[in-house]
Amino acid sequence: AGKAGTGGKSGGSTSRPGAAGLPGGTCANAVADTEPVTPTVWLVVDGSSSMSNNFEGGSTRWQALRATLMDQGAIVDSLQSVVRFGLVIYAGNAATPDNCVQLITVEPALNNRDALAAMYPMDPIASGTPSDRALDYVVTNLPVTNTSAPDDKSGPVYVVFATDGSPNKGCGDLNGNDPAVEQNVIDITKSGTDAGMNMFVISMAGGDNRLQSHLDKVAAATATKTPPFVPSTKGDLISTFQKIVSGASCQIDLKGQVDTGAACSGRVTLDGKDLACDSDNGWKLVDEDTFQLTGTACSRFLSQASMVYAMFPCEVFRPD
């Protein structure tokens, strides 16, 4: 069973869910607190010159992506208090063959919008598409798990990989694809997935069949195997990021374990209203000790002060 908690935005600050336990002392030995899960979201952005190509409505791919992420009230600004955002922008440079890969990086943190905006240039940074080096920075050079204290549950790590070109080394022929680099991207994605990374792929060049074929293989190496998103308008792009990032920020740790096959015997309410289990506009069990508010329930939770209850029969819930 569950105990009340608050979530959403109020008075310019964000409070999150409180606790889940059992009412009226029933099955009191199964009382367990809940707490929000704070995700880390790495934004891995293609900074090659082809991102200057037209996207929609007179906007370039670069402009549309930057505005979607960095404008006031946009994705990062609206969720920075509950999501640790980090950034990697990558490109190559044929003029400096000994050091041709360029990376702009910002380490993930809460309330990180200004830091990201300061490092996110108004135009692409160079040519070439060394996608493997950017993903390797996230997967290998920094820890994938996101633990603020030794006994804390690790927050999920999401990587949103947005590109408009097939990978190459970033040196020499900057316009072609390199099969070895393509394979590196897939291998690094598998390595990150094995370490717990949740990655989603966005193609900024919907008409590029070569890129689509490559990104299909990358997506198949991710945890969810979600096919690449291929937005054709800025509205599509905004919806894509909202779906990925908002969902990550609506996860709640149960401080106990639910039998996964019996999750829907439980009950989750938002502001006194029952939410549908396994619904795109309700709640879903992510794993045995985490559930996620989805769709309209997630939007409500993030946008205003809310009260969440989680209740499960004693026989399907085991407290920590």
Side-chain angles (χ1 to χ4, degrees):
K3 182 180 175 183
T6 59
K9 295 187 176 179
S10 177
S13 63
T14 301
S15 58
R16 305 304 299 280
L22 299 167
T26 303
C27 193
N29 62 347
V31 172
D33 288 339
T34 67
E35 62 182 14
V37 173
T38 302
T40 293
V41 175
W42 280 99
L43 305 170
V44 180
V45 175
D46 185 343
S48 63
S49 57
S50 59
M51 289 286 285
S52 294
N53 290 344
N54 184 63
F55 184 65
E56 178 250 348
S59 174
T60 67
R61 295 166 181 170
W62 181 267
Q63 291 168 339
L65 182 58
R66 192 185 191 284
T68 295
L69 295 172
M70 303 310 306
D71 278 2
Q72 294 290 336
I75 297 297
V76 174
D77 184 50
S78 63
L79 292 172
Q80 63 173 331
S81 63
V82 293
V83 176
R84 296 183 181 94
F85 282 105
L87 177 68
V88 179
I89 299 173
Y90 67 96
N93 191 339
T96 56
D98 293 333
N99 189 25
C100 58
V101 174
Q102 299 187 49
L103 298 180
I104 295 174
T105 62
V106 181
E107 187 172 351
L110 291 174
N111 300 308
N112 214 20
R113 187 263 172 193
D114 289 348
L116 267 65
M119 296 297 290
Y120 201 136
M122 300 303 295
D123 298 293
I125 59 176
S127 300
T129 317
S131 307
D132 59 335
R133 298 289 292 275
L135 292 172
D136 183 67
Y137 182 87
V138 173
V139 172
T140 304
N141 294 353
L142 292 175
V144 170
T145 56
N146 180 28
T147 306
S148 58
D151 295 331
D152 283 354
K153 177 182 172 68
S154 298
V157 174
Y158 282 61
V159 175
V160 188
F161 172 44
T163 182
D164 77 339
S166 297
N168 53 48
K169 293 180 180 178
C171 314
D173 182 7
L174 301 180
N175 296 315
N177 64 286
D178 186 321
V181 179
E182 289 182 333
Q183 188 59 50
N184 283 346
V185 170
I186 296 168
D187 292 342
I188 292 167
T189 300
K190 290 178 179 177
S191 178
T193 298
D194 290 343
M197 174 184 78
N198 298 282
M199 186 163 127
F200 297 89
V201 180
I202 299 175
S203 171
M204 298 295 296
D208 187 334
N209 293 330
R210 173 76 194 190
L211 174 63
Q212 185 66 37
S213 176
H214 166 65
L215 294 183
D216 284 341
K217 296 173 185 176
V218 176
T222 65
T224 67
K225 304 187 187 307
T226 302
F229 294 93
V230 189
S232 59
T233 67
K234 184 179 176 182
D236 291 343
L237 192 58
I238 292 171
S239 295
T240 294
F241 275 96
Q242 287 175 333
K243 181 175 182 179
I244 296 170
V245 182
S246 294
S249 59
C250 284
Q251 293 186 17
I252 300 170
D253 179 19
L254 281 167
K255 291 298 182 182
Q257 296 79 46
V258 176
D259 291 340
T260 56
C264 287
S265 65
R267 179 183 174 203
V268 173
T269 66
L270 177 64
D271 295 332
K273 295 182 179 180
D274 285 315
L275 300 178
C277 179
D278 277 343
S279 168
D280 290 335
N281 291 292
W283 69 281
K284 295 180 179 180
L285 196 69
V286 176
D287 54 40
E288 63 179 9
D289 58 4
T290 310
F291 71 91
Q292 177 176 321
L293 302 179
T294 59
T296 54
C298 175
S299 298
R300 180 182 178 89
F301 177 74
L302 292 174
S303 65
Q304 64 187 58
S306 303
M307 190 70 72
V308 177
Y309 285 86
M311 294 154 278
F312 297 91
C314 300
E315 61 270 18
V316 304
F317 181 74
R318 301 174 303 282
D320 288 343

